[in-house]
Every structure is written in structure tokens, then in C-alpha cells.
Amino acid sequence: MTTVIKVGGARAVDPAGALSDIATLYDDGEDVAVVHGGSTAVDDTLERLGIEPEYVETPAGVVGRFTDAETMEVFEMVFGHLNTQLVAGLQSLGVDAVGLNGVDGKLLHGPRKSAVRVVEDGKKKIKRGDHSGTIKEVNGDLLDSLLGGNYVPVASPPMAGADEGREARSASDSASGDEPRAEIVPVNTDADRSAAAIAGAVDATLVLLTDVEGVYADPDDPDTLIESVETAAEWAELEDAAEGFMGRKIMAAEEALDGGAEEVVIADANADEPILSALSGAGTHLYASALEATE
């Protein structure tokens, strides 16, 4: 079994337990891939640099980061640092981890969105200058090569964004008359959805670690944990219960299951043995049968 683990980037998430569990799975001969976030660290760094983070709301009501050129530079710097720290932590536990981002080998590839539709003061507008993208392709061969070589990939955004507005033409292209290729630029993309795309590409179980025990039917009451979602009716209840950041995780879970993931678990990163306990039944477990029933 292959397991893809998304380690959250929230301040309240301590990755130590997850790293220990990854080492246990690795020692047991399991294939493991890791994806990490880091938006909180990006915001902290922007604040230290005197740059105000900018968030926008889409017409669908989803709030996300607007990544301009200056923010993208900070994003690359911070995510590179976080990636190195996680790889070093795993190496310290005897795990042969390899750090990479979505640009490496075009692990995560898709079009850049240079303009986004937003809602400001109740009005829909087009905001230009964004450096974000939508994942359309995953380099599964690269992942299979690493996993087959007994490595643990530790991946993160940015992704390889194909900028249709900028052409990359080599000398050989000019000589042969081939059509110019879209220039590849690093762009921001959601870490949960990156993990979902990777899990789907390798038919894995996806564990999304966060700072709560799972999805609560009543977001303010931990005693209302939704333990399993297997039917269309249960999926509808799940979507109704998911508020704020949890809505993005449900979106990612749906994409993972649609893409071929066996199962998605949303679980507490700060629990004792967070990954092992999630794989043993803790958290909220989502199954493809809930989506198949809605088709």
C-alpha cells in the first residue's frame, strides 16, 4: 500500500509525531510520499518584511491567497526552507527522504492563472498579476522511480505553471520551425490539492493532517466527529458541515478520490501517532463509494 501524507502548515501543527510515524511506515517497507504546506510561514515572513498578505474571495465564496510577483519570491524561499527542514528531520530518523517541489521534473504541471475573478465590495472583478495555477498533470513516473528506489519523496508547491502568454523558444525550435512552447514559471497552488493530485496519481491512501480530529457535524463540537463517509447522503452531510479551511480539504478529498486514491482520511496532526492512528480508524474516513453514488 502507498500512503501519501499531507503535513499541514498551521501554527498549531507540530510535525514531530508525523515524522516519527513516517519513519515507522518506512521501516516496515511501506511506500510513503509526503506533501507539506506552509502558508502560515509565508504570512509570518511577509509580515517581517513589511509586506501585507493579500487574500481575495472568489465568486464561489472561496477565500484564497493572491500571489503577486513579490509574494511569489517569498513563497519560493519559505517553502524551500520548510522542505529542507522536513527532509533533514526524516533523514535524522533513518528515512532516505528526497526533497522536491512541483517544478522539479514538472512533478505538478498545469496552466498559470495570471488573472482571477474576485469579489470586492460586493462587485465581481478581474484581478491581474496573479502567480497561481491549476494542476492538470502529475509526473507519476518520477514518483514511481523514487518510491521504487526506496526513497520517500517530500514534495510541496510551487508547481510548474505553463504561462500561455510567454513563449520559450530554443534555437532548435527556431531552426526546425516547431511551435514555441509556453514558458514554465513557478506558481502557487494549494498544498492539499497538490497532495490529492499525487495520491490519485499513485493510487494511494491520502492522509490529510490538520489541527483538529477530523470533520465535525457541528464545527464547534468535537463530540460530533464524522467518522465515515460512504454514501451520497453522508457526503452531502459532510459538505454541509465543512466550514472555512475544512471546505478546501473536502474539495481536495473529492479530487483525490476522483483521481484514483483508495481512501482519504482527515485526522489530527497532534494526536499520539497521528498517521498510524489515522490508518487504524481515527479521524474522518472518506470513500469513493460516496461519490459513485452521486453520479
Side-chain angles (χ1 to χ4, degrees):
M1 180 183 77
T2 301
T3 305
V4 174
I5 297 114
K6 161 52 174 41
V7 181
R11 292 183 181 88
V13 171
D14 182 355
L19 297 186
S20 177
D21 282 356
I22 292 165
T24 298
L25 292 171
Y26 179 80
D27 290 341
D28 288 343
E30 300 286 347
D31 287 338
V32 183
V34 181
V35 179
H36 69 85
S39 60
T40 299
V42 171
D43 284 346
D44 290 344
T45 304
L46 288 170
E47 183 178 346
R48 290 199 300 271
L49 294 173
I51 303 170
E52 185 70 26
E54 184 175 3
Y55 288 85
V56 294
E57 181 181 353
T58 70
V62 177
V63 177
R65 180 191 298 278
F66 183 83
T67 310
D68 60 15
E70 188 175 37
T71 302
M72 192 65 221
E73 290 183 7
V74 174
F75 185 96
E76 292 179 57
M77 175 182 69
V78 171
F79 269 71
H81 171 73
L82 293 173
N83 190 276
T84 300
Q85 292 300 306
L86 287 175
V87 170
L90 287 170
Q91 293 281 4
S92 299
L93 296 172
V95 177
D96 211 350
V98 176
L100 67 168
N101 63 43
V103 179
D104 296 319
K106 290 200 293 190
L107 174 64
L108 303 171
H109 180 229
R112 172 193 171 187
K113 296 185 295 182
S114 60
V116 293
R117 291 181 175 86
V118 303
V119 176
E120 293 182 358
D121 300 324
K123 297 180 180 179
K124 295 180 181 180
K125 299 180 180 179
I126 299 294
K127 191 172 180 64
R128 303 189 183 279
D130 192 29
H131 287 66
S132 65
T134 302
I135 300 167
K136 296 296 184 182
E137 299 174 9
V138 176
N139 189 340
D141 290 341
L142 175 57
L143 292 169
D144 289 340
S145 295
L146 291 170
L147 294 170
N150 204 32
Y151 294 103
V152 171
V154 180
S156 74
M159 61 170 275
D163 193 339
E164 302 296 342
R166 298 164 67 184
E167 296 177 351
R169 181 188 286 274
S170 66
S172 59
D173 288 336
S174 299
S176 65
D178 290 342
E179 289 294 320
R181 298 180 298 272
E183 183 173 346
I184 297 296
V185 294
V187 294
N188 188 5
T189 192
D190 181 71
D192 286 322
R193 298 176 76 179
S194 298
I198 287 173
V202 296
D203 300 328
T205 292
L206 172 60
V207 179
L208 296 172
L209 293 177
T210 185
D211 57 355
V212 292
E213 294 177 27
V215 185
Y216 304 140
D218 177 351
D220 297 321
D221 186 357
D223 290 333
T224 64
L225 176 70
I226 299 173
E227 296 182 356
S228 179
V229 179
E230 301 182 54
T231 67
E234 290 171 342
W235 190 273
E237 292 173 2
L238 177 80
E239 290 185 317
D240 288 342
E243 294 184 353
F245 75 94
M246 193 59 76
R248 283 187 171 272
K249 296 193 181 299
I250 301 307
M251 182 188 300
E254 182 173 1
E255 291 174 359
L257 294 170
D258 279 340
E262 294 184 356
E263 177 186 358
V264 178
V265 189
I266 301 173
D268 186 0
N270 299 317
D272 293 334
E273 299 185 334
I275 299 168
L276 299 181
S277 63
L279 294 174
S280 298
T284 299
H285 292 247
L286 316 178
Y287 300 94
S289 58
L291 300 178
E292 293 167 359
T294 63
E295 295 178 354

